[in-house]
mmCIF file of all heavy atoms in Angstrom:
data_model
loop_
_atom_site.group_PDB
_atom_site.id
_atom_site.type_symbol
_atom_site.label_atom_id
_atom_site.label_comp_id
_atom_site.label_asym_id
_atom_site.label_seq_id
_atom_site.Cartn_x
_atom_site.Cartn_y
_atom_site.Cartn_z
ATOM 1 N N ALA A 901 110.495 89.568 96.751
ATOM 2 C CA ALA A 901 110.745 88.391 95.864
ATOM 3 C C ALA A 901 111.751 88.758 94.780
ATOM 4 O O ALA A 901 112.148 89.886 94.649
ATOM 5 C CB ALA A 901 109.443 87.844 95.198
ATOM 6 N N SER A 902 112.329 87.749 94.098
ATOM 7 C CA SER A 902 113.222 88.020 93.030
ATOM 8 C C SER A 902 112.475 88.649 91.942
ATOM 9 O O SER A 902 111.380 88.231 91.739
ATOM 10 C CB SER A 902 113.940 86.670 92.564
ATOM 11 O OG SER A 902 113.071 85.849 92.002
ATOM 12 N N VAL A 903 112.976 89.605 91.360
ATOM 13 C CA VAL A 903 112.299 90.332 90.207
ATOM 14 C C VAL A 903 113.261 90.502 89.005
ATOM 15 O O VAL A 903 114.414 90.948 89.319
ATOM 16 C CB VAL A 903 111.808 91.737 90.572
ATOM 17 C CG1 VAL A 903 111.072 92.441 89.567
ATOM 18 C CG2 VAL A 903 110.800 91.558 91.819
ATOM 19 N N SER A 904 112.944 90.293 87.834
ATOM 20 C CA SER A 904 113.707 90.520 86.727
ATOM 21 C C SER A 904 112.914 90.794 85.380
ATOM 22 O O SER A 904 111.731 90.629 85.487
ATOM 23 C CB SER A 904 114.594 89.260 86.410
ATOM 24 O OG SER A 904 113.844 88.127 86.161
ATOM 25 N N ASN A 905 113.609 91.141 84.368
ATOM 26 C CA ASN A 905 113.059 91.243 83.023
ATOM 27 C C ASN A 905 111.867 92.129 82.975
ATOM 28 O O ASN A 905 110.803 91.868 82.503
ATOM 29 C CB ASN A 905 112.694 89.848 82.431
ATOM 30 C CG ASN A 905 113.867 88.908 82.448
ATOM 31 O OD1 ASN A 905 114.985 89.295 82.108
ATOM 32 N ND2 ASN A 905 113.675 87.744 82.810
ATOM 33 N N LEU A 906 111.997 93.430 83.425
ATOM 34 C CA LEU A 906 110.975 94.457 83.276
ATOM 35 C C LEU A 906 110.758 94.754 81.795
ATOM 36 O O LEU A 906 111.622 94.947 81.065
ATOM 37 C CB LEU A 906 111.300 95.598 84.007
ATOM 38 C CG LEU A 906 111.553 95.583 85.528
ATOM 39 C CD1 LEU A 906 111.814 96.949 86.037
ATOM 40 C CD2 LEU A 906 110.201 95.123 86.159
ATOM 41 N N ALA A 907 109.396 95.029 81.506
ATOM 42 C CA ALA A 907 109.086 95.456 80.176
ATOM 43 C C ALA A 907 107.715 96.172 80.314
ATOM 44 O O ALA A 907 106.980 95.873 81.231
ATOM 45 C CB ALA A 907 108.877 94.289 79.205
ATOM 46 N N TRP A 908 107.492 97.138 79.457
ATOM 47 C CA TRP A 908 106.223 97.853 79.400
ATOM 48 C C TRP A 908 105.346 97.185 78.496
ATOM 49 O O TRP A 908 105.694 96.816 77.347
ATOM 50 C CB TRP A 908 106.495 99.255 78.990
ATOM 51 C CG TRP A 908 107.109 100.134 80.001
ATOM 52 C CD1 TRP A 908 108.445 100.243 80.344
ATOM 53 C CD2 TRP A 908 106.432 100.990 80.973
ATOM 54 N NE1 TRP A 908 108.554 101.055 81.364
ATOM 55 C CE2 TRP A 908 107.361 101.574 81.752
ATOM 56 C CE3 TRP A 908 105.074 101.334 81.181
ATOM 57 C CZ2 TRP A 908 107.080 102.503 82.724
ATOM 58 C CZ3 TRP A 908 104.742 102.241 82.130
ATOM 59 C CH2 TRP A 908 105.708 102.773 82.879
ATOM 60 N N ALA A 909 104.018 97.049 78.757
ATOM 61 C CA ALA A 909 102.983 96.518 77.947
ATOM 62 C C ALA A 909 102.751 97.572 76.911
ATOM 63 O O ALA A 909 102.934 98.840 77.110
ATOM 64 C CB ALA A 909 101.836 96.139 78.746
ATOM 65 N N ALA A 910 102.211 97.229 75.734
ATOM 66 C CA ALA A 910 101.812 98.226 74.689
ATOM 67 C C ALA A 910 100.907 99.227 75.316
ATOM 68 O O ALA A 910 99.941 98.841 76.010
ATOM 69 C CB ALA A 910 101.211 97.393 73.516
ATOM 70 N N GLY A 911 101.135 100.439 75.024
ATOM 71 C CA GLY A 911 100.303 101.516 75.430
ATOM 72 C C GLY A 911 100.800 102.079 76.679
ATOM 73 O O GLY A 911 100.325 103.181 77.161
ATOM 74 N N GLY A 912 101.614 101.461 77.465
ATOM 75 C CA GLY A 912 102.284 102.004 78.643
ATOM 76 C C GLY A 912 101.434 102.045 79.903
ATOM 77 O O GLY A 912 101.818 102.668 80.817
ATOM 78 N N SER A 913 100.332 101.264 79.977
ATOM 79 C CA SER A 913 99.512 101.267 81.139
ATOM 80 C C SER A 913 99.929 100.187 82.151
ATOM 81 O O SER A 913 99.481 100.249 83.362
ATOM 82 C CB SER A 913 98.064 101.069 80.725
ATOM 83 O OG SER A 913 97.894 99.839 80.181
ATOM 84 N N GLU A 914 100.709 99.251 81.756
ATOM 85 C CA GLU A 914 101.119 98.195 82.609
ATOM 86 C C GLU A 914 102.561 97.914 82.475
ATOM 87 O O GLU A 914 103.201 97.981 81.464
ATOM 88 C CB GLU A 914 100.285 96.849 82.405
ATOM 89 C CG GLU A 914 98.830 96.994 82.681
ATOM 90 C CD GLU A 914 98.037 95.782 82.316
ATOM 91 O OE1 GLU A 914 98.378 95.296 81.187
ATOM 92 O OE2 GLU A 914 97.238 95.438 83.147
ATOM 93 N N ILE A 915 103.230 97.334 83.616
ATOM 94 C CA ILE A 915 104.602 96.846 83.621
ATOM 95 C C ILE A 915 104.552 95.355 83.740
ATOM 96 O O ILE A 915 103.912 94.825 84.642
ATOM 97 C CB ILE A 915 105.462 97.566 84.690
ATOM 98 C CG1 ILE A 915 105.408 99.089 84.497
ATOM 99 C CG2 ILE A 915 106.834 96.993 84.762
ATOM 100 C CD1 ILE A 915 105.911 99.878 85.637
ATOM 101 N N LEU A 916 105.354 94.604 82.900
ATOM 102 C CA LEU A 916 105.439 93.182 83.035
ATOM 103 C C LEU A 916 106.821 92.908 83.559
ATOM 104 O O LEU A 916 107.749 93.485 83.343
ATOM 105 C CB LEU A 916 105.387 92.579 81.554
ATOM 106 C CG LEU A 916 104.174 93.105 80.672
ATOM 107 C CD1 LEU A 916 104.424 92.588 79.231
ATOM 108 C CD2 LEU A 916 102.906 92.683 81.309
ATOM 109 N N PHE A 917 106.792 91.795 84.382
ATOM 110 C CA PHE A 917 108.098 91.385 85.005
ATOM 111 C C PHE A 917 107.955 89.857 85.363
ATOM 112 O O PHE A 917 106.917 89.290 85.563
ATOM 113 C CB PHE A 917 108.402 92.223 86.220
ATOM 114 C CG PHE A 917 107.400 92.141 87.338
ATOM 115 C CD1 PHE A 917 107.603 91.360 88.392
ATOM 116 C CD2 PHE A 917 106.296 92.977 87.309
ATOM 117 C CE1 PHE A 917 106.628 91.267 89.430
ATOM 118 C CE2 PHE A 917 105.360 92.972 88.390
ATOM 119 C CZ PHE A 917 105.565 92.091 89.388
ATOM 120 N N ALA A 918 109.196 89.285 85.555
ATOM 121 C CA ALA A 918 109.267 87.880 86.096
ATOM 122 C C ALA A 918 109.553 87.991 87.536
ATOM 123 O O ALA A 918 110.357 88.895 87.976
ATOM 124 C CB ALA A 918 110.372 87.124 85.275
ATOM 125 N N SER A 919 108.992 86.988 88.198
ATOM 126 C CA SER A 919 109.256 87.004 89.637
ATOM 127 C C SER A 919 109.109 85.619 90.200
ATOM 128 O O SER A 919 108.269 84.816 89.688
ATOM 129 C CB SER A 919 108.257 87.896 90.494
ATOM 130 O OG SER A 919 108.486 87.914 91.821
ATOM 131 N N ARG A 920 109.939 85.285 91.143
ATOM 132 C CA ARG A 920 109.886 83.917 91.753
ATOM 133 C C ARG A 920 109.273 84.074 93.198
ATOM 134 O O ARG A 920 109.873 84.741 94.051
ATOM 135 C CB ARG A 920 111.344 83.394 91.830
ATOM 136 C CG ARG A 920 111.347 81.880 92.457
ATOM 137 C CD ARG A 920 112.667 81.265 92.249
ATOM 138 N NE ARG A 920 112.691 80.007 92.801
ATOM 139 C CZ ARG A 920 112.304 78.812 92.203
ATOM 140 N NH1 ARG A 920 111.875 78.999 90.972
ATOM 141 N NH2 ARG A 920 112.442 77.751 92.836
ATOM 142 N N GLN A 921 108.164 83.508 93.255
ATOM 143 C CA GLN A 921 107.429 83.609 94.604
ATOM 144 C C GLN A 921 106.906 82.214 94.976
ATOM 145 O O GLN A 921 106.473 81.499 94.091
ATOM 146 C CB GLN A 921 106.238 84.539 94.442
ATOM 147 C CG GLN A 921 106.694 86.049 94.171
ATOM 148 C CD GLN A 921 105.495 87.005 93.983
ATOM 149 O OE1 GLN A 921 104.407 86.585 94.359
ATOM 150 N NE2 GLN A 921 105.858 88.135 93.521
ATOM 151 N N ALA A 922 106.949 81.836 96.213
ATOM 152 C CA ALA A 922 106.545 80.569 96.749
ATOM 153 C C ALA A 922 107.169 79.397 95.982
ATOM 154 O O ALA A 922 106.519 78.497 95.715
ATOM 155 C CB ALA A 922 105.013 80.600 96.641
ATOM 156 N N GLY A 923 108.410 79.626 95.482
ATOM 157 C CA GLY A 923 109.076 78.561 94.830
ATOM 158 C C GLY A 923 108.826 78.365 93.389
ATOM 159 O O GLY A 923 109.284 77.430 92.739
ATOM 160 N N LYS A 924 107.963 79.293 92.810
ATOM 161 C CA LYS A 924 107.628 79.159 91.371
ATOM 162 C C LYS A 924 107.943 80.545 90.632
ATOM 163 O O LYS A 924 107.695 81.606 91.242
ATOM 164 C CB LYS A 924 106.100 78.893 91.291
ATOM 165 C CG LYS A 924 105.742 77.656 91.894
ATOM 166 C CD LYS A 924 104.211 77.369 91.625
ATOM 167 C CE LYS A 924 103.799 76.110 92.253
ATOM 168 N NZ LYS A 924 102.426 75.846 92.022
ATOM 169 N N SER A 925 108.597 80.392 89.429
ATOM 170 C CA SER A 925 108.774 81.457 88.685
ATOM 171 C C SER A 925 107.543 81.810 87.808
ATOM 172 O O SER A 925 107.082 80.825 87.143
ATOM 173 C CB SER A 925 110.089 81.292 87.811
ATOM 174 O OG SER A 925 111.202 81.270 88.610
ATOM 175 N N ARG A 926 107.155 83.015 87.767
ATOM 176 C CA ARG A 926 105.975 83.384 86.877
ATOM 177 C C ARG A 926 106.196 84.741 86.263
ATOM 178 O O ARG A 926 106.968 85.586 86.730
ATOM 179 C CB ARG A 926 104.663 83.447 87.784
ATOM 180 C CG ARG A 926 104.358 82.082 88.425
ATOM 181 C CD ARG A 926 103.046 82.209 89.236
ATOM 182 N NE ARG A 926 102.784 80.878 89.757
ATOM 183 C CZ ARG A 926 102.025 80.714 90.806
ATOM 184 N NH1 ARG A 926 101.678 81.646 91.520
ATOM 185 N NH2 ARG A 926 101.741 79.509 91.170
ATOM 186 N N LEU A 927 105.320 85.006 85.351
ATOM 187 C CA LEU A 927 105.284 86.322 84.693
ATOM 188 C C LEU A 927 104.119 87.128 85.413
ATOM 189 O O LEU A 927 103.037 86.446 85.446
ATOM 190 C CB LEU A 927 105.094 86.318 83.135
ATOM 191 C CG LEU A 927 106.243 85.673 82.379
ATOM 192 C CD1 LEU A 927 105.783 85.570 80.975
ATOM 193 C CD2 LEU A 927 107.519 86.583 82.617
ATOM 194 N N PHE A 928 104.351 88.299 85.644
ATOM 195 C CA PHE A 928 103.311 89.120 86.338
ATOM 196 C C PHE A 928 103.196 90.449 85.515
ATOM 197 O O PHE A 928 104.052 90.858 84.780
ATOM 198 C CB PHE A 928 103.734 89.504 87.693
ATOM 199 C CG PHE A 928 103.757 88.443 88.791
ATOM 200 C CD1 PHE A 928 104.889 87.600 88.850
ATOM 201 C CD2 PHE A 928 102.677 88.248 89.504
ATOM 202 C CE1 PHE A 928 104.885 86.485 89.727
ATOM 203 C CE2 PHE A 928 102.670 87.151 90.417
ATOM 204 C CZ PHE A 928 103.752 86.312 90.545
ATOM 205 N N LYS A 929 102.006 91.110 85.703
ATOM 206 C CA LYS A 929 101.770 92.432 85.241
ATOM 207 C C LYS A 929 101.144 93.251 86.309
ATOM 208 O O LYS A 929 100.531 92.707 87.266
ATOM 209 C CB LYS A 929 100.923 92.473 84.027
ATOM 210 C CG LYS A 929 99.429 92.005 84.327
ATOM 211 C CD LYS A 929 98.578 92.046 83.067
ATOM 212 C CE LYS A 929 97.158 91.562 83.406
ATOM 213 N NZ LYS A 929 96.280 91.612 82.219
ATOM 214 N N ILE A 930 101.587 94.505 86.388
ATOM 215 C CA ILE A 930 101.048 95.452 87.396
ATOM 216 C C ILE A 930 100.761 96.756 86.742
ATOM 217 O O ILE A 930 101.503 97.209 85.787
ATOM 218 C CB ILE A 930 102.034 95.685 88.561
ATOM 219 C CG1 ILE A 930 101.475 96.315 89.794
ATOM 220 C CG2 ILE A 930 103.371 96.313 88.040
ATOM 221 C CD1 ILE A 930 102.301 96.354 91.051
ATOM 222 N N PRO A 931 99.628 97.356 87.141
ATOM 223 C CA PRO A 931 99.267 98.716 86.488
ATOM 224 C C PRO A 931 100.429 99.701 86.910
ATOM 225 O O PRO A 931 100.938 99.748 88.006
ATOM 226 C CB PRO A 931 97.965 99.095 87.122
ATOM 227 C CG PRO A 931 97.377 97.824 87.638
ATOM 228 C CD PRO A 931 98.595 96.970 87.982
ATOM 229 N N ALA A 932 100.756 100.644 85.898
ATOM 230 C CA ALA A 932 101.749 101.637 86.213
ATOM 231 C C ALA A 932 101.291 102.640 87.305
ATOM 232 O O ALA A 932 102.068 103.314 87.754
ATOM 233 C CB ALA A 932 102.093 102.373 84.878
ATOM 234 N N THR A 933 100.046 102.658 87.515
ATOM 235 C CA THR A 933 99.467 103.483 88.486
ATOM 236 C C THR A 933 99.435 102.859 89.964
ATOM 237 O O THR A 933 99.142 103.558 90.967
ATOM 238 C CB THR A 933 97.954 103.938 88.135
ATOM 239 O OG1 THR A 933 97.280 102.693 88.036
ATOM 240 C CG2 THR A 933 97.909 104.705 86.918
ATOM 241 N N GLY A 934 99.878 101.633 89.949
ATOM 242 C CA GLY A 934 99.909 100.914 91.301
ATOM 243 C C GLY A 934 98.712 99.920 91.352
ATOM 244 O O GLY A 934 97.837 99.989 90.569
#
């Protein structure tokens, strides 16, 4: 999917990013460990 605007959450345990999936743009977070 399209991915942009990466940022780290406070504490560094998660990564935040914007993504466009299924026709909708949303903000997501994912654990830095996967």
Side-chain angles (χ1 to χ4, degrees):
S902 67
V903 178
S904 62
N905 302 317
L906 294 180
W908 285 84
S913 64
E914 296 176 314
I915 299 167
L916 311 172
F917 61 96
S919 182
R920 183 169 178 85
Q921 299 178 11
K924 295 181 182 180
S925 294
R926 296 182 175 153
L927 293 177
F928 289 85
K929 65 180 178 179
I930 191 166
T933 55

